Amino acid sequence: EGPKECSEAGQRLALQAWEDRTRAEYAGVMIVRHFHGLLVDLNSPMDLQELALVMVLQEQQHARLCMEVVKSLGDTGELTFELDQLQMQRSDAPLEIQFFQTLIGTYAIGEAVALDLLVGSLSALPDSGYRSILKCIARDEVLHGRLGLEILQQIRSGKPAPWIRWPGDEIVAT
């Protein structure tokens, strides 16, 4: 059931925001699947591959939770997506370059920023069932928001990483 003290315009805005979040979480499923595929193809450590699979499940669960909110706000729960949002095509670039593009662009930057925005939202929202759902999502997003920098630091540290080598700052910066 939707919020009682919210105006019709406010409810429409909330619905749009939660629909957008649902789409983003579901697109996240596809992004993590792509990342997992790169990890497998690069023969990364099994624990890292398993972590990516856990993240796929978390993103799927987040999308489901967001969809429950969408329905509680009065929508049917039938969202449409642009096809390119659901397809993560591999490029012709070497796998290592594709890996670093995803690691840095998606995880070291994108997920870290998304986590900060989510934490900021939580601090501004009053207690409600909707805030509780965001808190649940945020618990998982801590992992997603820290993963990129942690893997990047490990690879860049010079410690042997037999599955991938650091290509150099100048290559990664481009």
Side-chain angles (χ1 to χ4, degrees):
E1 188 175 337
K4 300 284 187 223
E5 62 280 335
C6 190
S7 69
E8 188 176 321
Q11 193 159 339
R12 278 195 309 272
L13 284 172
L15 178 60
Q16 182 63 52
W18 281 99
E19 285 176 340
D20 291 346
R21 176 147 205 108
T22 303
R23 285 185 187 94
E25 294 291 351
Y26 194 72
V29 173
M30 302 309 147
I31 291 166
V32 183
R33 286 184 55 206
H34 174 77
F35 184 62
H36 175 259
L38 291 170
L39 290 171
V40 169
D41 289 350
L42 289 167
N43 198 26
S44 73
M46 286 296 250
D47 59 345
L48 189 53
Q49 293 177 34
E50 289 174 15
L51 187 59
L53 290 173
V54 167
M55 290 170 46
V56 169
L57 179 59
Q58 288 173 339
E59 294 286 3
Q60 185 74 43
Q61 291 168 339
H62 299 169
R64 181 185 46 77
L65 287 170
C66 292
M67 182 56 71
E68 288 176 14
V69 171
V70 166
K71 289 178 181 177
S72 81
L73 292 169
D75 195 79
T76 62
E78 293 183 21
L79 298 180
T80 58
F81 293 84
E82 295 294 325
L83 188 57
D84 63 337
Q85 289 179 308
L86 301 179
Q87 293 181 334
M88 295 293 302
Q89 299 294 326
R90 294 233 181 139
S91 70
D92 293 333
L95 287 176
E96 293 84 1
I97 297 299
Q98 292 181 60
F99 167 76
F100 282 112
Q101 287 171 333
T102 303
L103 181 69
I104 294 168
T106 300
Y107 293 101
I109 298 170
E111 289 286 348
V113 169
L115 176 60
D116 284 347
L117 291 171
L118 185 56
V119 168
S121 296
L122 284 169
S123 67
L125 292 172
D127 280 337
S128 71
Y130 301 115
R131 185 175 186 272
S132 296
I133 288 174
L134 283 180
K135 280 178 74 171
C136 178
I137 291 171
R139 281 192 294 271
D140 295 337
E141 294 295 343
V142 169
L143 166 65
H144 306 193
R146 293 185 180 160
L147 178 76
L149 284 177
E150 290 184 18
I151 294 173
L152 196 58
Q153 287 171 345
Q154 183 217 359
I155 294 170
R156 194 167 179 249
S157 71
K159 294 178 186 172
W163 64 281
I164 195 161
R165 67 171 188 78
W166 180 247
D169 293 348
E170 63 286 345
I171 297 295
V172 172
T174 56

